[in-house]
Amino acid sequence: MSDPQNETDPLSLSEAAEILGVHYMTAYRYVRLGMLPATQQGRRWVVRREDLVAFSAAPPASTERGDADWDERLLARMLEADMSGAWGVVEAALASGMTPIGAYERLLVPALRTVGDLWAAGDIGIADEHAASQIAARIVARLAPRMARPGRRRGTVVLGSTQTETHGLALSMAADLFRNAQFDVVDLGTNLPAESLAASVGARADVTVVALSVTAPGQEAEIARSIAAVRAVKDIKVVVGGRGTSEEEALAAGADGYARTAQDAILLFEEFRQKA
């Protein structure tokens, strides 16, 4: 236990709950939702005194139906490498009325963008970034089954990346959003040689569009190679998207369209389908 006389020692969660005047499980819930910053020491949670003071200065955000800072709570749990806490935030958001698509667009995407920015600024280390990304990947895996929608299909998308692309999380999230929009998806993943992409497209008679996900810059030559390989086997629309490229670069590489987000890509797919 912390010495209550030592103002520099962290507080146990029980001590924090007593100071807040709430039950221990209420304080534990605050931690799990990312509302009260805390870290684990062995099997127990501890709270810094300054964090408790800051938390006490403002009332807890509502966890009922309506707006809440879910993305900040999720980010806090991801940065603590707290998988169960991160999933607890997602569950609470879904219970409040958020849809699985909303969980991607309003929770995971903003949180992952902030993690990337923190790493780029040197505020967190590569291990922290990897731990947060692993948590995000596990959350995506748990949400994926909720994304599929029955009904008439709108076409088949072959989704992949370049041979030099190494980040697959954006690809997985895009695949789920395409499925939710009632497209069938063939997800070929990352590190994909242009020839392998082309072979997969050429072997399928039902493909209506090819989508390439690019998260890291500097891949213009590989994007062009992938598009050229596809066009060598089939006359088909190719869309390039992601933060790693721009519309100008995508079109210069031979793409039929550029999409910053998966939702932008869905609009392009539908446009191509209606013009076919």
Side-chain angles (χ1 to χ4, degrees), residues 138-178:
R138 289 174 180 268
I139 291 173
V140 168
R142 295 182 75 164
L143 287 174
R146 308 186 189 198
M147 290 290 185
R149 290 173 58 195
R152 186 175 180 180
R153 314 318 290 165
R154 300 167 67 184
T156 298
V157 179
V158 171
L159 176 62
S161 63
T162 64
Q163 188 166 7
T164 49
E165 177 64 50
T166 59
H167 296 92
L169 189 52
L171 200 71
S172 297
M173 293 173 68
D176 288 341
L177 292 172
F178 296 162

Coordinates of all heavy atoms in Angstrom, one line a residue, residues 138-178:
R138 N -6.6 -6.9 -32.8 CA -7.5 -7.8 -32.1 C -8.9 -7.3 -32.0 O -9.9 -8.1 -32.1 CB -7.0 -8.1 -30.7 CG -5.7 -8.9 -30.7 CD -5.1 -9.0 -29.3 NE -3.9 -9.8 -29.3 CZ -3.8 -11.1 -29.0 NH1 -5.0 -11.8 -28.8 NH2 -2.7 -11.8 -29.0
I139 N -9.1 -6.0 -31.9 CA -10.4 -5.4 -31.9 C -11.1 -5.6 -33.3 O -12.2 -5.9 -33.4 CB -10.3 -3.9 -31.5 CG1 -10.0 -3.8 -30.0 CG2 -11.7 -3.2 -31.7 CD1 -9.7 -2.4 -29.5
V140 N -10.3 -5.3 -34.3 CA -10.8 -5.5 -35.7 C -11.3 -7.0 -35.9 O -12.3 -7.2 -36.5 CB -9.8 -5.1 -36.7 CG1 -10.2 -5.6 -38.1 CG2 -9.6 -3.6 -36.7
A141 N -10.5 -7.9 -35.4 CA -10.8 -9.3 -35.5 C -12.2 -9.6 -34.8 O -13.0 -10.4 -35.3 CB -9.7 -10.2 -35.0
R142 N -12.4 -9.0 -33.7 CA -13.6 -9.2 -32.9 C -14.8 -8.5 -33.6 O -16.0 -9.0 -33.4 CB -13.5 -8.8 -31.5 CG -12.4 -9.6 -30.7 CD -12.3 -9.2 -29.3 NE -13.4 -9.7 -28.5 CZ -13.4 -9.7 -27.1 NH1 -12.3 -9.3 -26.5 NH2 -14.4 -10.1 -26.5
L143 N -14.6 -7.4 -34.2 CA -15.7 -6.7 -34.8 C -16.0 -7.2 -36.2 O -17.2 -7.0 -36.7 CB -15.3 -5.2 -35.0 CG -15.3 -4.4 -33.7 CD1 -14.8 -3.0 -33.9 CD2 -16.8 -4.3 -33.1
A144 N -15.1 -7.8 -36.9 CA -15.3 -8.2 -38.3 C -16.5 -9.1 -38.5 O -17.3 -8.8 -39.5 CB -14.0 -9.0 -38.8
P145 N -16.9 -10.1 -37.7 CA -18.1 -10.8 -38.0 C -19.4 -10.0 -37.9 O -20.4 -10.4 -38.5 CB -18.1 -11.9 -36.8 CG -16.7 -12.0 -36.4 CD -16.1 -10.6 -36.5
R146 N -19.3 -8.9 -37.3 CA -20.5 -8.0 -37.2 C -20.7 -7.1 -38.4 O -21.7 -6.4 -38.6 CB -20.4 -7.1 -36.0 CG -20.2 -7.8 -34.7 CD -20.2 -6.9 -33.5 NE -19.8 -7.5 -32.2 CZ -20.0 -7.1 -31.0 NH1 -20.8 -6.0 -30.9 NH2 -19.6 -7.7 -30.0
M147 N -19.7 -7.1 -39.3 CA -19.7 -6.3 -40.5 C -20.5 -6.8 -41.7 O -21.0 -6.1 -42.5 CB -18.3 -5.9 -40.9 CG -17.5 -5.1 -39.9 SD -18.2 -3.4 -39.9 CE -17.0 -2.6 -38.8
A148 N -20.4 -8.1 -41.8 CA -21.1 -8.7 -43.0 C -22.6 -8.5 -43.0 O -23.2 -8.5 -42.0 CB -20.8 -10.2 -43.0
R149 N -23.1 -8.1 -44.2 CA -24.5 -7.9 -44.4 C -25.1 -8.8 -45.4 O -24.5 -9.0 -46.5 CB -24.8 -6.5 -44.7 CG -24.5 -5.5 -43.6 CD -24.7 -4.0 -44.2 NE -26.0 -3.8 -44.7 CZ -26.2 -2.7 -45.5 NH1 -25.3 -1.9 -45.8 NH2 -27.5 -2.6 -46.0
P150 N -26.2 -9.5 -45.2 CA -26.8 -10.3 -46.2 C -27.5 -9.4 -47.3 O -27.5 -8.2 -47.1 CB -27.9 -11.1 -45.4 CG -28.3 -10.1 -44.3 CD -27.0 -9.4 -43.9
G151 N -27.9 -10.1 -48.3 CA -28.6 -9.4 -49.3 C -27.9 -9.4 -50.7 O -26.9 -10.1 -50.8
R152 N -28.5 -8.8 -51.6 CA -27.9 -8.8 -53.0 C -26.6 -8.2 -53.0 O -26.3 -7.1 -52.5 CB -28.9 -8.0 -53.9 CG -28.5 -8.1 -55.4 CD -29.5 -7.4 -56.3 NE -29.1 -7.5 -57.7 CZ -29.9 -6.9 -58.6 NH1 -31.0 -6.3 -58.3 NH2 -29.5 -7.0 -59.9
R153 N -25.6 -8.9 -53.7 CA -24.3 -8.4 -53.7 C -24.1 -7.4 -54.8 O -24.8 -7.4 -55.8 CB -23.3 -9.6 -54.0 CG -23.5 -10.8 -53.2 CD -23.8 -10.5 -51.7 NE -22.7 -10.0 -51.0 CZ -22.8 -9.4 -49.8 NH1 -24.0 -9.2 -49.2 NH2 -21.7 -9.0 -49.2
R154 N -23.1 -6.4 -54.6 CA -22.9 -5.3 -55.5 C -21.7 -5.5 -56.3 O -21.3 -4.6 -57.1 CB -22.8 -4.0 -54.7 CG -24.0 -3.7 -53.9 CD -23.8 -2.6 -52.8 NE -23.5 -1.3 -53.4 CZ -23.2 -0.3 -52.7 NH1 -23.1 -0.4 -51.3 NH2 -23.0 0.9 -53.2
G155 N -21.0 -6.7 -56.2 CA -19.8 -6.9 -57.0 C -18.7 -7.5 -56.2 O -18.9 -7.7 -54.9
T156 N -17.6 -7.9 -56.8 CA -16.5 -8.5 -56.1 C -15.3 -7.6 -56.2 O -14.9 -7.1 -57.3 CB -16.1 -9.9 -56.7 OG1 -17.3 -10.7 -56.5 CG2 -14.9 -10.5 -56.0
V157 N -14.7 -7.3 -55.0 CA -13.5 -6.4 -55.0 C -12.3 -7.3 -54.6 O -12.3 -8.1 -53.6 CB -13.6 -5.4 -53.9 CG1 -12.4 -4.5 -53.8 CG2 -14.9 -4.5 -54.1
V158 N -11.2 -7.2 -55.4 CA -10.0 -7.9 -55.1 C -9.1 -6.8 -54.4 O -8.8 -5.7 -55.0 CB -9.2 -8.4 -56.3 CG1 -7.8 -8.8 -55.9 CG2 -9.9 -9.6 -56.9
L159 N -8.8 -7.0 -53.1 CA -8.2 -6.0 -52.3 C -6.8 -6.4 -51.9 O -6.6 -7.6 -51.5 CB -9.0 -5.7 -51.0 CG -8.4 -4.8 -50.0 CD1 -8.3 -3.4 -50.5 CD2 -9.3 -4.8 -48.7
G160 N -5.8 -5.6 -52.2 CA -4.4 -6.0 -51.9 C -3.6 -4.8 -51.6 O -4.0 -3.7 -51.3
S161 N -2.3 -5.0 -51.8 CA -1.3 -3.9 -51.6 C -0.1 -4.1 -52.5 O -0.1 -5.0 -53.4 CB -0.8 -3.9 -50.1 OG -0.1 -5.1 -49.9
T162 N 0.9 -3.3 -52.4 CA 2.1 -3.4 -53.2 C 3.1 -4.4 -52.5 O 2.8 -4.8 -51.3 CB 2.8 -2.1 -53.3 OG1 3.2 -1.6 -52.0 CG2 1.9 -1.0 -53.9
Q163 N 4.1 -4.8 -53.1 CA 5.1 -5.7 -52.6 C 5.9 -5.0 -51.4 O 6.4 -5.6 -50.5 CB 6.1 -6.1 -53.6 CG 7.0 -7.2 -53.2 CD 7.7 -7.9 -54.3 OE1 7.6 -7.5 -55.5 NE2 8.5 -9.0 -54.0
T164 N 5.9 -3.6 -51.4 CA 6.6 -2.9 -50.4 C 5.8 -2.4 -49.2 O 6.3 -1.8 -48.3 CB 7.4 -1.7 -51.0 OG1 6.4 -1.0 -51.8 CG2 8.5 -2.2 -51.9
E165 N 4.5 -2.7 -49.3 CA 3.5 -2.3 -48.2 C 3.6 -3.3 -47.1 O 3.5 -4.5 -47.3 CB 2.1 -2.2 -48.7 CG 1.1 -1.8 -47.7 CD 1.3 -0.4 -47.1 OE1 1.5 0.5 -47.8 OE2 1.3 -0.4 -45.8
T166 N 3.8 -2.8 -45.9 CA 3.9 -3.8 -44.7 C 2.8 -3.6 -43.7 O 2.7 -4.4 -42.8 CB 5.2 -3.5 -44.0 OG1 5.3 -2.2 -43.5 CG2 6.4 -3.8 -44.9
H167 N 1.9 -2.6 -43.8 CA 0.9 -2.4 -42.8 C -0.5 -3.0 -43.2 O -1.1 -2.4 -44.2 CB 0.7 -0.9 -42.5 CG 2.0 -0.3 -41.9 ND1 3.0 0.3 -42.6 CD2 2.4 -0.2 -40.6 CE1 3.9 0.7 -41.8 NE2 3.6 0.4 -40.6
G168 N -0.9 -4.0 -42.6 CA -2.1 -4.7 -43.0 C -3.4 -4.3 -42.3 O -4.5 -4.7 -42.7
L169 N -3.3 -3.5 -41.2 CA -4.5 -3.2 -40.4 C -5.5 -2.4 -41.2 O -6.7 -2.7 -41.2 CB -4.1 -2.5 -39.2 CG -5.2 -2.3 -38.1 CD1 -5.9 -3.6 -37.8 CD2 -4.6 -1.7 -36.8
A170 N -5.0 -1.4 -41.9 CA -5.9 -0.6 -42.8 C -6.6 -1.4 -43.8 O -7.7 -1.2 -44.2 CB -5.1 0.6 -43.4
L171 N -5.8 -2.4 -44.4 CA -6.4 -3.3 -45.4 C -7.5 -4.1 -44.8 O -8.6 -4.2 -45.4 CB -5.3 -4.2 -45.9 CG -5.4 -4.9 -47.2 CD1 -5.3 -3.9 -48.3 CD2 -4.3 -6.0 -47.4
S172 N -7.3 -4.6 -43.6 CA -8.4 -5.4 -42.9 C -9.6 -4.6 -42.7 O -10.7 -5.1 -42.9 CB -7.8 -6.0 -41.6 OG -6.8 -6.9 -41.9
M173 N -9.4 -3.4 -42.2 CA -10.6 -2.5 -41.9 C -11.3 -2.2 -43.2 O -12.5 -2.2 -43.2 CB -10.1 -1.3 -41.2 CG -9.5 -1.6 -39.8 SD -8.8 -0.1 -39.0 CE -10.2 0.9 -38.7
A174 N -10.6 -1.9 -44.2 CA -11.2 -1.6 -45.5 C -12.0 -2.8 -46.0 O -13.2 -2.6 -46.5 CB -10.2 -1.2 -46.5
A175 N -11.5 -4.0 -45.9 CA -12.2 -5.2 -46.3 C -13.5 -5.3 -45.6 O -14.5 -5.7 -46.2 CB -11.3 -6.4 -46.1
D176 N -13.5 -5.1 -44.3 CA -14.7 -5.2 -43.5 C -15.8 -4.1 -43.9 O -17.0 -4.4 -44.0 CB -14.4 -5.0 -42.0 CG -13.7 -6.2 -41.4 OD1 -13.8 -7.3 -42.1 OD2 -13.1 -6.1 -40.4
L177 N -15.3 -2.9 -44.2 CA -16.2 -1.9 -44.6 C -16.8 -2.2 -46.0 O -18.0 -1.9 -46.3 CB -15.5 -0.5 -44.6 CG -15.1 0.0 -43.2 CD1 -14.3 1.2 -43.3 CD2 -16.4 0.3 -42.4
F178 N -16.0 -2.8 -46.9 CA -16.5 -3.1 -48.2 C -17.6 -4.2 -48.1 O -18.6 -4.2 -48.7 CB -15.4 -3.6 -49.1 CG -14.3 -2.6 -49.4 CD1 -13.1 -3.0 -49.9 CD2 -14.6 -1.2 -49.3 CE1 -12.1 -2.0 -50.2 CE2 -13.6 -0.3 -49.6 CZ -12.4 -0.7 -50.0

